[in-house]
Amino acid sequence: MEISMPPPQIYVEKTLAIIKPDIVDKEEEIQDIILRSGFTIVQRRKLHLSPEHCSNFYVEQYGKMFFPNLTAYMSSGPLVAMILARHNAITYWKELLGPSNTLVAKETHPDSLRAIYGTDDLRNALHGSNDFTAAEREIRFMFPKVIVEPIPIGQAAKDYLNLYVTPTLLEGLTELCKHKPTDPFVRNLFTLKSIVCSCLKYCIFLK
């Protein structure tokens, strides 16, 4: 009897999730809910943001009356940042969170995470990116070395190649040249080196 296996899934959409300082002790419980909801936790880190970092993260809220209280709340203790991935990750995570105001969430979406774990309109327990642009910015803020699909093009691609790809490839290929291998198979890699270097020169001048 053949067992039908589901086709492999490629997670291309990511969103940022934050477990806020006042419910960090519920992290294991919340992660279990996340995983059972079909998400993959791509990366996770626990950190304590300064008020200045919080101000930078919530820069779009600057000038609003609640902004000082928001930055004080988010810098009051350690938080847990996670990159979540799945099909339509941003939309599904927002649905799981419920309304941003916990008081509203308790009335209209009593099974949502904010209704369960939140306290009031400020201390709403969890954060989720609002859209793709926000997700891209927020993920890079919390995880600077992560690539967010779709892969950047133009200047962003050039910057990424210059910073991460080119130095690593050139270092490895230079070491290969220094050792002057006698194995015919390995010598063929020198041809590959020329090809790769040509590609890198092309990529660096992408526009």
Side-chain angles (χ1 to χ4, degrees), residues 184-195:
F185 173 77
V186 178
R187 279 204 305 269
N188 289 335
L189 292 177
F190 286 101
T191 303
L192 176 62
K193 171 184 179 292
S194 299
I195 296 172

Side-chain angles (χ1 to χ4, degrees), residues 29-185:
E29 185 178 315
I30 292 170
Q31 284 187 354
D32 183 60
I33 295 172
I34 289 170
L35 295 174
R36 286 191 287 107
S37 298
F39 290 93
T40 295
I41 300 175
V42 179
Q43 288 199 40
R44 169 219 176 264
R45 64 182 297 212
K46 189 173 185 178
L47 64 161
H48 192 157
L49 296 179
S50 67
E52 291 75 19
H53 281 127
C54 291
S55 296
N56 291 333
F57 183 78
Y58 286 106
V59 65
E60 294 179 355
Q61 308 295 340
Y62 182 78
K64 296 182 179 179
M65 290 187 64
F66 60 81
F67 187 77
N69 290 334
L70 175 62
T71 55
Y73 164 48
M74 291 300 292
S75 61
S76 63
L79 55 80
V80 175
M82 296 174 288
I83 301 175
L84 306 184
R86 64 159 287 170
H87 176 64
N88 289 334
I90 296 169
T91 298
Y92 277 111
W93 180 236
K94 287 169 64 178
E95 290 178 356
L96 198 59
L97 289 178
S100 59
N101 188 321
T102 296
L103 303 179
V104 174
K106 290 179 183 294
E107 291 184 6
T108 62
H109 297 73
D111 296 326
S112 66
L113 293 179
R114 284 173 173 152
I116 296 169
Y117 296 103
T119 304
D120 51 38
D121 58 340
L122 176 67
R123 293 172 294 174
N124 60 0
L126 295 137
H127 170 83
S129 302
N130 191 51
D131 51 35
F132 180 81
T133 301
E136 185 177 28
R137 183 186 73 81
E138 293 170 0
I139 288 173
R140 285 177 175 164
F141 185 95
M142 294 292 183
F143 302 89
K145 295 184 179 181
V146 167
I147 298 179
V148 183
E149 289 85 357
I151 295 174
I153 60 174
Q155 185 60 43
K158 179 180 176 182
D159 292 344
Y160 186 84
L161 285 168
N162 285 335
L163 186 59
Y164 299 111
V165 179
T166 304
T168 302
L169 281 175
L170 291 180
E171 181 181 353
L173 292 169
T174 300
E175 286 299 313
L176 181 63
C177 292
K178 288 179 180 178
H179 284 83
K180 298 180 180 179
T182 57
D183 190 316
F185 173 77

